């Protein structure tokens, strides 16, 4: 994209005409992340200070925050004056600030829009288009969201964003299985269940993919593994989705006897 663009789906980044700009110290990047995540809403100075420091804000927090805002304003103004295309501006609003920028210049906004469009396409039965949109959305990620930023606010937002990413990935795997692309999906889901062994939806998808490939024995074995894991580690039974998957495969096998 020509002009200024921003990334929060990974370390906090600013680019101008494809060249990365120096966004400053981690706390200055944190100010930028807060403004980007507000999606054009005005943030008060107290909200920004709270997001950066929480309850442990030093006496100098307000002055320091204003310094970060000033530096970011200068950086964006210089980028806007030097190029063409999308520009961004931090405006004062009462006791606060807002970042004005084209939503298409912010990766998290693009991600959320693309995943919403994918769900609409899937609802219309356009699975190929839904898959294309989801792949494009997931390609925007460059690592863990809000990389390099700590504190309760950013940890909470990171968890939320990573859940959105996981949901999009699960939707893409479901589309792939439904379209018969199971071999690569099985390999990816095998790794995913190893990383998140208690996420039942991943096991549902793996069992479905194995069954779709004609590997019913492996599918039932996977069910027994997650059932044992849930029982031994958490004292839980498999949820409704897993039980339905198991019952369907078991019934299909019994009908062949």
């Amino acid at each position: 994209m020509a002009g200024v663009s921003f990334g929060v789906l990974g370390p906090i980044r600013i680019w101008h005409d494809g060249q990365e700009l120096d966004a400053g110290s981690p706390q200055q990047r944190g100010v930028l992340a807060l403004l980007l995540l507000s999606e054009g809403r005005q943030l008060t100075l107290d909200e920004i200070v709270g997001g950066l420091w929480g309850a442990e804000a030093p006496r100098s927090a307000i002055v320091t925050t204003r310094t970060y805002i000033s530096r970011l304003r200068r950086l964006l103004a210089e980028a806007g004056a030097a190029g063409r295309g999308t520009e961004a501006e931090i405006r004062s609003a009462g006791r606060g600030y807002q970042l004005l920028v084209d939503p298409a210049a912010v990766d998290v906004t693009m991600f959320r829009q693309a995943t919403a469009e994918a769900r609409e396409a899937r609802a219309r039965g356009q699975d190929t288009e839904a898959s294309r949109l989801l792949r494009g959305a997931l390609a925007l990620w460059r690592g863990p969201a809000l990389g390099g930023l700590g504190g309760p606010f950013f940890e909470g937002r990171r968890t939320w964003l990573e859940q959105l990413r996981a949901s999009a990935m699960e939707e893409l795997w479901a589309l792939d299985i439904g379209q018969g692309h199971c071999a690569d999906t099985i390999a990816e889901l095998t790794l995913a269940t190893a990383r998140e062994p208690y996420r039942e939806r991943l096991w549902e998808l793996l069992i479905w993919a194995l069954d779709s490939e004609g590997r019913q024995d492996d599918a039932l074995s996977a069910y027994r593994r997650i059932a044992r894991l849930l029982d031994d580690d958490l004292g839980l039974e498999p949820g409704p989705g897993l039980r339905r998957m198991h019952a369907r495969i078991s019934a299909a096998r019994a009908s062949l006897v």
Side-chain angles (χ1 to χ4, degrees):
M1 170 182 284
V4 181
S5 57
F6 302 89
V8 301
L9 301 179
I12 307 305
R13 296 286 187 264
I14 308 176
W15 297 274
H16 178 250
D17 290 346
Q19 298 297 313
E20 186 172 351
L21 305 179
D22 183 1
S25 67
Q27 283 190 320
Q28 184 168 303
R29 292 170 189 262
V31 172
L32 177 61
L34 285 162
L35 291 168
L36 289 167
L37 291 171
S38 74
E39 297 183 322
R41 181 177 67 85
Q42 174 190 332
L43 290 182
T44 67
L45 196 54
D46 289 342
E47 285 178 307
I48 297 173
V49 168
L52 287 180
W53 286 282
E56 305 299 323
R59 284 187 173 184
S60 60
I62 289 179
V63 172
T64 302
T65 298
R66 285 177 171 150
T67 299
Y68 293 147
I69 293 285
S70 178
R71 290 174 181 170
L72 289 167
R73 274 177 162 165
R74 185 166 59 250
L75 178 66
L76 296 177
E78 290 172 355
R84 63 190 186 283
T86 301
E87 297 183 8
E89 177 186 3
I90 299 175
R91 287 188 181 175
S92 297
R95 271 184 51 81
Y97 303 92
Q98 63 183 149
L99 175 62
L100 302 180
V101 64
D102 182 348
V106 185
D107 61 359
V108 65
T109 307
M110 295 170 63
F111 172 81
R112 294 178 66 190
Q113 180 178 341
T115 53
E117 290 175 357
R119 292 183 186 109
E120 292 171 1
R122 189 177 186 185
R124 295 192 300 267
Q126 298 172 334
D127 288 359
T128 300
E129 175 65 4
S131 294
R132 184 190 69 79
L133 287 164
L134 286 171
R135 290 185 197 284
L138 289 162
L140 294 169
W141 288 73
R142 296 166 289 106
L146 304 169
L149 302 181
F153 174 83
F154 291 117
E155 290 297 338
R157 298 296 275 183
R158 181 179 296 112
T159 297
W160 171 66
L161 289 169
E162 293 292 346
Q163 286 296 324
L164 293 182
R165 182 188 193 182
S167 294
M169 195 70 247
E170 289 168 3
E171 289 177 44
L172 179 58
W173 279 324
L175 285 164
D176 285 345
I177 296 168
Q179 295 174 82
H181 309 308
C182 295
D184 289 341
T185 306
I186 288 169
E188 292 169 0
L189 283 165
T190 299
L191 292 174
T193 54
R195 288 192 301 266
E196 297 187 78
Y198 305 113
R199 193 173 179 100
E200 292 190 40
R201 178 57 177 160
L202 295 175
W203 288 93
E204 288 178 35
L205 291 167
L206 176 58
I207 292 166
W208 178 21
L210 289 166
D211 179 47
S212 298
E213 282 284 276
R215 297 169 57 181
Q216 282 73 35
D217 287 344
D218 290 335
L220 293 173
S221 177
Y223 177 84
R224 288 192 293 271
R225 287 202 306 276
I226 179 56
R228 185 167 56 249
L229 191 66
L230 291 170
D231 183 35
D232 290 348
D233 294 358
L234 304 178
L236 297 175
E237 294 183 352
L242 278 170
R243 293 200 302 272
R244 284 194 297 269
M245 192 75 67
H246 178 259
R248 181 177 62 77
I249 297 171
S250 298
R253 291 199 65 179
S255 68
L256 298 176
V257 175

